Amino acid sequence: MPYITATDGTSLHVKDMGAGRPVVLIHGWPLTGDMWEKQTLALVEAGYRVITYDRRGFGLSGHPINCYNYDVLADDLAVILEQLDLWDATLVGFSMGGGEVARYLNRHGRARISKAVLLASIVPFLLKTADNPDGVDISVFDGIKQEIRQDRFAFLKSFLPGFYGMSMLHHPVSEGVLDWSFTLASMASPMATLDCVDAWGKTDFRSDLQAFTIPTLIIHGTADSAVPADIAGRRAADLIPGSVFLEYDGAPHGLFLTHAQQVNEDLLKFLAS
């Protein structure tokens, strides 16, 4: 079943691999479900059923003109869980994908879900407001959108090295990984790339956190410049009772690759607990 149809008719490209307890991996912006290559291999070899999918507007899923708010995105996730008849599932959301985990739990409940993982996630709220004074100024998100409008491909080329924490002296991923990531990101529609900046940058998930009544693992890197731990991972850990918070010293945003072995070990340990 490579495609599942969302409630508005949008085709969602889904990969369903392995057998066992299901683990649903939800990708970040601006990549696709294929970003989970390292985790998929480890999970399938450990005896889990792994489901990845391309968010609407990204990868091989349909590219509608609009409908990129988190209510719609959470409903897309719900359709996938229902169509694949998944129960006792673990939801793993990276970066923007953490928002789908939060909104899904609040909007659809936990009946099908046993555990949740927030990996370098944007939850609970990134935007600077009067009641979120440590957040990111709106001008940052508007600047990102302006760069995308001017030259989306130039933006991606400049964005991805920092995503993986690359510098003059530090090369945690290869040029091949940068090329691969650029290819995945280039597959997105320009509308989705733009509209999702508002979705992940300006959506307030603080009220959704009450729905995290299941075991929750939060992983964040101390060197994450895209989604700083101070306003995301650490705050989510403070607001989700009983959550387990693991902080990776020196890890950048793209830790699913730069720290893949550590992520996989901690994820498997959490799944088995």
Side-chain angles (χ1 to χ4, degrees), residues 183-260:
T183 299
L184 296 184
S186 297
M187 294 170 68
S189 79
M191 292 78 73
T193 307
L194 283 166
D195 287 354
C196 284
V197 174
D198 287 333
W200 58 258
K202 302 177 183 179
T203 302
D204 187 349
F205 297 100
R206 289 176 293 186
S207 63
D208 296 292
L209 297 189
Q210 64 186 346
F212 281 81
T213 57
I214 54 178
T216 301
L217 172 64
I218 301 169
I219 300 174
H220 220 104
T222 62
D224 190 332
S225 59
V227 181
D230 280 342
I231 60 174
R234 292 172 191 157
R235 189 164 297 174
D238 289 339
L239 295 173
I240 299 175
S243 60
V244 176
F245 179 46
L246 301 179
E247 198 165 73
Y248 291 4
D249 187 40
H253 192 56
L255 45 64
F256 62 94
L257 277 184
T258 62
H259 292 66

Side-chain angles (χ1 to χ4, degrees), residues 6-259:
T7 55
D8 66 353
T10 300
S11 295
L12 303 173
H13 185 258
V14 179
K15 292 183 178 180
D16 187 355
M17 299 156 280
R21 285 172 47 212
V23 181
V24 182
L25 305 175
I26 308 167
H27 73 84
W29 178 96
L31 303 176
T32 75
D34 285 348
M35 62 155 270
W36 294 109
E37 179 172 315
K38 295 287 190 180
Q39 287 68 46
T40 296
L41 185 60
L43 289 165
V44 168
E45 289 180 342
Y48 291 93
R49 178 183 178 187
V50 179
I51 295 90
T52 64
Y53 67 98
D54 296 342
R55 181 181 290 106
R56 62 170 57 219
F58 294 81
L60 297 176
S61 288
H63 290 185
I65 296 297
N66 49 28
C67 299
Y68 294 104
N69 66 77
Y70 269 101
D71 286 351
V72 172
L73 299 178
D75 290 351
D76 287 349
L77 174 57
V79 169
I80 291 170
L81 292 168
E82 291 161 8
Q83 288 294 310
L84 295 180
D85 195 27
L86 302 181
W87 297 91
D88 192 25
T90 296
L91 299 180
V92 183
F94 168 73
S95 192
M96 180 180 180
E100 270 109 326
V101 176
R103 186 58 50 88
Y104 173 87
L105 290 173
N106 198 23
R107 193 168 170 86
H108 296 278
R110 54 159 292 180
R112 294 178 178 271
I113 311 303
S114 58
K115 295 181 179 181
V117 180
L118 299 176
L119 182 65
S121 163
I122 50 91
V123 172
F125 189 27
L126 293 185
L127 182 65
K128 182 178 182 178
T129 59
D131 65 347
N132 193 41
D134 297 325
V136 179
D137 193 86
I138 193 171
S139 63
V140 174
F141 304 119
D142 291 343
I144 291 172
K145 291 171 65 179
Q146 183 177 356
E147 288 187 48
I148 292 169
R149 285 185 179 277
Q150 181 175 348
D151 188 333
R152 181 165 66 99
F153 305 104
F155 167 79
L156 294 173
K157 282 286 188 180
S158 64
F159 171 76
L160 288 168
F163 183 93
Y164 292 115
M166 296 191 74
S167 66
M168 290 289 291
L169 300 177
H170 188 51
H171 300 274
V173 298
S174 67
E175 287 296 324
V177 165
L178 291 179
D179 292 342
W180 171 70
S181 301
F182 176 79
T183 299
L184 296 184
S186 297
M187 294 170 68
S189 79
M191 292 78 73
T193 307
L194 283 166
D195 287 354
C196 284
V197 174
D198 287 333
W200 58 258
K202 302 177 183 179
T203 302
D204 187 349
F205 297 100
R206 289 176 293 186
S207 63
D208 296 292
L209 297 189
Q210 64 186 346
F212 281 81
T213 57
I214 54 178
T216 301
L217 172 64
I218 301 169
I219 300 174
H220 220 104
T222 62
D224 190 332
S225 59
V227 181
D230 280 342
I231 60 174
R234 292 172 191 157
R235 189 164 297 174
D238 289 339
L239 295 173
I240 299 175
S243 60
V244 176
F245 179 46
L246 301 179
E247 198 165 73
Y248 291 4
D249 187 40
H253 192 56
L255 45 64
F256 62 94
L257 277 184
T258 62
H259 292 66

